[in-house]
Amino acid sequence: MKSVVRLASTFFGAGYFPVAPGTFASLEAALIYGFAARRLAPLPDLLLLAAVVLVGTAAADSFARTLNEKDPRPVVIDEIVGQGAALFLCPAGWPWIAGGFFLFRVFDVLKPWPIRRLERLPGGWGIMADDVLAGVFTALVLQGIRGIL
């Protein structure tokens, strides 16, 4: 069971990437979205995202407790979910996906209010919630840009 938790929370080992594992995982999520998830209708896409939030939160919580750390560097399932939220309903096309990747990384790194506050939530929720909200902020910006264009 511990190996399944580690695989899920590190997104199949992406969290062990030696440089910027969160950015690497976000890039993986953006590429997966660009090639596969964009083919899903919005409801299955949302249900898949919700399932990964629930499983990822539990896995992140368990793995963080195993490592005795609040938000361990190898845990990147939160970036996968955050990037998925950022690209949910994103217009088709690589320029939009690249923009969503970039904006998500900005929101995730800078953590403007109230994103940073969500890190205070206990356990896996504190690991996951700030990235989900960074993804939601990104999605709102992308939809705003889409409305202007």
Side-chain angles (χ1 to χ4, degrees), residues 34-141:
F35 286 116
R38 192 66 202 129
R39 297 168 197 228
L40 294 177
L43 182 58
D45 195 9
L46 183 61
L47 293 174
L48 177 62
L49 191 59
V52 177
V53 166
L54 295 175
V55 171
T57 299
D61 181 68
S62 178
F63 196 52
R65 280 189 280 116
T66 298
L67 296 177
N68 199 27
E69 295 180 34
K70 183 172 171 45
D71 190 354
R73 184 175 167 93
V75 172
V76 295
I77 192 65
D78 51 330
E79 270 81 19
I80 299 298
V81 168
Q83 190 67 69
L87 297 175
F88 180 69
L89 300 179
C90 176
W94 289 105
W96 287 102
I97 293 168
F101 167 76
F102 176 76
L103 285 171
F104 172 70
R105 293 311 303 150
V106 169
F107 280 121
D108 190 34
V109 170
L110 296 181
K111 297 191 187 308
W113 186 90
I115 295 171
R116 185 168 305 280
R117 288 189 61 116
L118 294 178
E119 290 179 315
R120 298 179 191 168
L121 292 172
W125 292 109
I127 294 170
M128 187 70 70
D130 66 307
D131 292 271
V132 171
L133 189 56
V136 168
F137 280 16
T138 299
L140 291 172
V141 170

